[in-house]
Amino acid sequence: MDKVNKVNRTILGVDPGTTLMGYAIVCSKDSHLDLLIMGVIELKKYKSHYDKLNKIYERVDSIIKEYKPEEFAIEAPFFGKNVQSMLKLGRAQGVAMAAALSNGLPIFEYAPKKIKIAITGSGSASKEQVANALKLELKIKDMPKYMDATDALGAAICHFHQTKFISLTAKSGSNDWNSFIKNNPERVKS
């Protein structure tokens, strides 16, 4: 069975950055989500961009080896006006993806707007609104200092929500909404 079709799975979410890179790991059991870890990789102290890239690779690789996620969800860089910043951000994203690939993880990219819609229902939600929605959904008591961590959590949860229908239909043997409803009447609310 394809990894995305598993009902119980562990997802690593990453919000790429060259100053702070957010990461979060969630574990799903049926339709319930648990937060395993959330934090940031602080890169401010490294002067060289290449040192930052090396640290990103090492840390993402160590997180994968320690927590053994099965899927990797990453926020795709948005388009900005500063070309140099976009190049650096793209490199950071690429290095994080390389760490996932070297560990055999399938990679899923989500645009910031898609993540916001999956979490809050609005593509124009602020970072604070996304963080608050995540806090409520996962019942997080102590929120992290940096929202890069909650952005990474948003990527992981967006991936979970995007692939939940695939997981449920694989479990029920159906491949469309009508079959799913027919095979799962208890899941339909009137």
Side-chain angles (χ1 to χ4, degrees):
M1 182 181 287
D2 186 303
K3 286 185 180 189
V4 176
N5 290 337
K6 287 177 67 178
V7 176
N8 300 329
R9 56 205 166 109
T10 306
I11 303 165
L12 168 58
V14 168
D15 176 42
T18 56
T19 304
L20 293 169
M21 177 175 273
Y23 63 89
I25 298 182
V26 294
C27 181
S28 70
K29 293 180 181 157
D30 299 317
S31 62
H32 180 73
L33 277 172
D34 288 316
L35 174 62
L36 298 182
I37 186 171
M38 173 172 53
V40 294
I41 302 168
E42 295 195 44
L43 303 161
K44 296 174 194 172
K45 62 184 172 188
Y46 301 100
K47 301 283 185 238
S48 162
H49 181 64
Y50 301 107
D51 289 340
K52 291 179 180 187
L53 295 176
N54 186 50
K55 184 50 73 178
I56 290 167
Y57 184 90
E58 287 176 349
R59 187 67 181 111
V60 171
D61 184 62
S62 71
I63 291 167
I64 291 169
K65 284 180 171 38
E66 182 176 350
Y67 291 93
K68 301 184 182 1
E70 299 159 297
E71 298 166 29
F72 182 89
I74 190 165
E75 183 174 311
F78 59 91
F79 297 100
K81 293 180 182 179
N82 187 328
V83 176
Q84 287 300 314
S85 293
M86 288 304 301
L87 284 171
K88 288 179 179 178
L89 186 59
R91 289 175 180 163
Q93 181 191 32
V95 167
M97 293 167 80
L101 289 170
S102 72
N103 283 281
L105 299 182
I107 296 172
F108 303 89
E109 284 185 81
Y110 297 98
K113 187 174 186 174
K114 186 164 193 115
I115 293 170
K116 289 176 182 183
I117 290 170
I119 304 304
T120 68
S122 171
S124 61
S126 68
K127 285 182 173 279
E128 292 81 10
Q129 289 171 316
V130 171
N132 192 50
L134 292 168
K135 180 179 181 177
L136 293 172
E137 182 175 351
L138 294 175
K139 298 173 181 60
I140 302 169
K141 292 180 183 171
D142 298 318
M143 292 299 283
K145 178 179 178 182
Y146 300 109
M147 288 194 194
D148 304 79
T150 54
D151 287 349
L153 179 58
I157 292 180
C158 174
H159 176 64
F160 171 74
H161 289 314
Q162 294 298 307
T163 56
K164 187 169 30 174
F165 176 71
I166 294 168
S167 298
L168 292 171
T169 56
K171 181 179 176 184
S172 66
S174 59
N175 59 7
D176 64 23
W177 278 110
N178 291 331
S179 298
F180 177 78
I181 291 168
K182 181 180 174 186
N183 293 332
N184 299 279
E186 74 284 357
R187 297 190 58 95
V188 178
K189 293 184 180 179
S190 308

